[in-house]
Amino acid sequence: MLSDIEIAESVPMQDIRKVAESLGLTEDELELYGKYKAKINAPCSERKAKLILVTAINPTSSGEGKTTVSIGLADGMRKIGKKVCLALREPSLGPVFGIKGGAAGGGYAQVVPMADINLHFTGDLHAITAANNLLCAMIDNHIFRGNELKIDPEKVSFRRCMDMNDRSLINITVGRGGRGVEREEHFEITAASEIMAILCLATSLADLKRRLGNIIVGLNTDGEYVYARDLNAVGAMATLLKDALKPNLVQTLEGTPAIVHGGPFANIAHGCNSIQATYTAMSYADYVVTEAGFGADLGAEKFLDTKCRIAGIEPSAIVIVATVKALKLHGGAAKETISEENVEALKNGLPNLLKHIENVKNVYQKPVVVAMNHFFTDTEAEIAAVMDAVQEAGAKVVFTDVFLKGGEGGKELAKAVVEACDIPSKLHYSYDLNDSVVQKIIDVATKIYGADGVKFTDEALEKIGVIERSGYGNLPVIIAKTQYSLSDNKDLVGRPTHFTITVRDVILKGGAGFIVAVTGTLMLMPGLSKHPAAERIDIDDNGVISGLS
């Protein structure tokens, strides 16, 4: 079996202008980045497409193939004659060189040029990092140059970022040696930064500038918020982001149009591609396949409760991706035995999948299709157990083989999804925006996670009080928690019961327009594993890359 990058390099790509033409885009509406990548600079007309959200169960450390299934589903829909476009997130270099690897799909269900997409692509994440750190430099320079705004150095809340896993930057000191005002600083990964969230939620350049101006950089000595606009930073930041705001057009291995734009993580941010990308795809296709990061308790919840509210959109159907292997891990099977038949462990792990189905059907009231990412080690008994459980839960389940067969392996899933899209539905949310911040967090925890309740630290409650008194209490909530469990404890796999969520910190993102509740021990800057993927990536003397996946 060829590696992902070998497959990607072996299949000839179409000229990106031809791919654009299949959507009805002209060359004048493209800004070309070579032959196979382009920025789209076209108006978003009526958003006519049916939107399909792809999400997943709580994943294992290597993911469940959600992006791969999204790509294979789109290729499968194209094979059954539908005008379809993908709308996916951009990869972050942190996971690419860390544990998880890239985010361009796998096997014969990939977006290409794979290496470009996983690495520098069109420079969007670099632009976001630069804009973020420009603001940080202006904050510290303002304090150093007399501090007219009376910014309290100990209450600066806007953090530096970089697009790499580097735990040694989580807590540092800046300004030492008389080079500035010494203070404690913290790095976030770019995918968790507020600038990333702003880029993905902005509906226009004017909206981008408005949101940048609303970034809260910290408090002054009177306890009042200080904004990025107070530092006159907005114009320069927007200038750095002017090209990054435009969606990127690429293609799948089978030539299906794919808009890949924006990349917030779903465990520590809102986990969805940009509104601009979704609007564009919905304007030029009849069906749009999009995905939200990690499990449905994270990415899908934030897509539905936050992005859909802000963008004024809703999915026609939701696909939940799972694997027999992951369900067995949720059921207590040891990692080294998950390729062996173990129907008992599978049945013990199925409640995790069933909880996500319940949430989609009963909380959000949307049609749901389960896509089982098929492995050759899946036995007939295990497949039957999944089929019976999902059908009893009132959902359609399809075992799909897009990794090995591409669009051909996604045709049955495509047919099931098209049928689901034709079922009339109206999106319901898991909480009311007008409720208190505490109540909104409780609603997500109890309805979506299945928690008994929520504990708040004194610091978190104090910050919530300030947020509500300042008039920001009606914003959506983004809960930052582990992706591996429905709870805030990564070791509680399956469908845990009788647990509470602990909110230890609350952060107001004035520019993004949401409130982040930080739970458990989640770090906003991930670290590398003992043997990261970076150790396996290489390039030979002819420029051929290996080890990238």
Side-chain angles (χ1 to χ4, degrees):
M1 177 70 184
L2 297 174
S3 68
D4 288 347
I5 192 164
E6 287 171 331
I7 293 171
E9 297 292 339
S10 69
V11 178
M13 290 180 281
Q14 296 183 34
D15 189 300
I16 198 64
R17 291 171 292 187
K18 185 175 180 181
V19 176
E21 194 176 297
S22 70
L23 286 175
L25 291 163
T26 67
E27 186 172 349
D28 289 340
E29 294 172 315
L30 303 178
E31 295 177 9
L32 299 175
Y33 282 63
K35 289 180 65 177
Y36 306 116
K37 300 173 290 184
K39 287 279 186 182
I40 300 174
N41 193 12
C44 299
S45 55
E46 178 188 359
R47 297 188 288 278
K48 59 180 181 177
K50 292 184 176 181
L51 184 62
I52 301 150
L53 173 63
V54 180
T55 182
I57 63 170
N58 292 96
T60 61
S61 59
S62 52
E64 305 321 307
K66 177 162 44 63
T67 304
T68 301
V69 170
S70 299
I71 296 164
L73 169 59
D75 283 338
M77 295 185 76
R78 189 160 170 256
K79 279 191 174 292
I80 64 172
K82 304 302 181 183
K83 185 178 181 182
V84 61
C85 184
L86 276 158
L88 303 175
R89 292 174 301 157
E90 296 180 49
S92 162
L93 292 179
V96 168
F97 293 109
I99 296 176
K100 194 170 180 292
Y108 289 89
Q110 296 189 54
V111 283
V112 287
M114 180 267 224
D116 290 6
I117 293 168
N118 275 321
L119 299 175
H120 305 290
F121 201 18
T122 57
D124 293 346
L125 269 73
H126 298 316
I128 292 166
T129 304
N132 184 101
N133 293 341
L134 170 63
L135 177 55
C136 291
M138 292 180 73
I139 294 168
D140 283 312
N141 183 62
H142 182 88
I143 296 171
F144 180 72
R145 299 292 183 182
N147 200 7
E148 182 181 344
L149 295 172
K150 300 190 295 183
I151 299 171
D152 186 340
E154 295 184 1
K155 296 296 178 63
V156 173
S157 56
F158 191 81
R159 299 177 169 186
R160 286 170 166 83
C161 73
M162 66 179 292
D163 188 28
M164 199 63 67
N165 293 358
D166 190 350
R167 65 171 57 81
S168 60
L169 293 176
I170 294 172
N171 297 308
I172 64 170
T173 302
V174 296
R176 296 183 64 185
R179 300 294 181 179
V181 175
E182 187 171 320
R183 67 177 182 87
E184 187 177 293
E185 174 63 298
H186 313 272
F187 267 76
E188 298 173 341
I189 192 166
T190 298
S193 69
E194 186 171 4
I195 305 296
M196 172 65 82
I198 286 171
L199 183 93
C200 290
L201 294 172
T203 56
S204 64
L205 182 58
D207 187 40
L208 174 74
K209 293 182 72 173
R210 178 187 67 82
R211 290 175 178 274
L212 291 174
N214 287 341
I215 292 172
I216 296 167
V217 302
L219 299 175
N220 65 18
T221 52
D222 297 322
E224 300 166 332
Y225 289 133
V226 179
Y227 297 89
R229 58 177 178 266
D230 298 329
L231 291 161
N232 298 317
V234 174
M237 294 168 70
T239 301
L240 282 169
L241 295 168
K242 69 179 181 65
D243 293 322
L245 183 63
K246 300 170 186 174
N248 306 299
L249 179 65
V250 288
Q251 62 191 287
T252 71
L253 287 172
E254 299 184 10
T256 302
I259 299 175
V260 179
H261 191 225
F265 287 166
N267 57 346
I268 47 184
H270 75 288
C272 318
N273 68 293
S274 75
I275 288 177
Q276 289 280 78
T278 305
Y279 279 173
T280 302
M282 292 181 73
S283 297
Y284 292 93
D286 296 328
Y287 291 87
V288 172
V289 178
T290 192
E291 54 93 26
F294 292 126
D297 55 320
L298 290 172
E301 184 274 314
K302 293 163 184 177
F303 181 97
L304 297 166
D305 282 320
T306 300
K307 179 175 177 177
C308 285
R309 274 184 163 120
I310 292 171
I313 57 176
E314 64 177 271
S316 296
I318 295 176
V319 177
I320 300 175
V321 178
T323 63
V324 166
K325 289 183 175 183
L327 291 172
K328 287 191 284 191
L329 285 173
H330 276 290
K335 194 168 186 179
E336 58 270 17
T337 66
I338 58 172
S339 294
E340 302 170 8
E341 182 175 278
N342 190 337
V343 178
E344 182 180 357
L346 172 64
K347 288 182 176 180
N348 290 337
L350 273 166
N352 184 273
L353 170 60
L354 299 179
K355 172 57 175 166
H356 293 302
I357 293 172
E358 288 174 21
N359 290 345
V360 173
K361 284 170 59 70
N362 301 334
V363 178
Y364 297 111
Q365 299 187 26
K366 280 291 169 180
V368 58
V369 177
V370 173
M372 294 298 297
N373 196 1
H374 183 52
F375 285 76
F376 74 93
T377 54
D378 300 344
T379 68
E380 291 300 321
E382 290 170 339
I383 291 171
V386 172
M387 299 284 283
D388 290 345
V390 173
Q391 287 170 3
E392 188 176 335
K396 175 83 172 179
V397 59
V398 178
F399 274 78
T400 185
D401 211 0
V402 298
F403 185 89
L404 293 176
K405 298 178 181 178
E408 191 63 34
K411 284 169 65 175
E412 290 307 310
L413 177 61
K415 292 173 184 175
V417 170
V418 169
E419 288 178 6
C421 286
D422 290 335
I423 300 172
S425 64
K426 176 65 177 175
L427 176 63
H428 289 68
Y429 302 113
S430 73
Y431 58 81
D432 188 326
L433 278 180
N434 294 317
D435 282 344
S436 68
V437 174
V438 165
Q439 187 59 53
K440 285 182 280 197
I441 294 169
I442 290 172
D443 283 347
V444 174
T446 55
K447 294 178 184 178
I448 305 303
Y449 307 158
D452 290 341
V454 181
K455 296 178 181 177
F456 296 85
T457 64
D458 291 342
E459 181 183 4
L461 288 173
E462 183 180 341
K463 289 184 176 180
I464 288 171
V466 173
I467 288 168
E468 292 182 331
R469 288 192 297 273
S470 301
Y472 291 100
N474 63 344
L475 294 178
V477 294
I478 297 293
I479 301 182
K481 89 173 177 67
T482 179
Q483 65 268 31
Y484 298 119
S485 172
L486 283 160
S487 75
D488 57 357
N489 178 353
K490 65 181 179 61
D491 296 322
L492 293 180
V493 294
R495 183 176 181 172
T497 56
H498 306 302
F499 67 92
T500 56
I501 298 291
T502 299
V503 174
R504 61 180 172 84
D505 194 12
V506 174
I507 306 166
L508 172 60
K509 302 287 188 179
F514 54 62
I515 299 159
V516 179
V518 183
T519 71
T521 58
L522 191 71
M523 295 187 299
L524 303 185
M525 166 60 81
L528 291 172
S529 61
K530 186 174 182 179
H531 295 290
E535 294 180 358
R536 303 185 293 275
I537 296 172
D538 200 1
I539 185 168
D540 68 18
D541 294 343
N542 296 313
V544 177
I545 297 172
S546 60
L548 189 62
S549 63

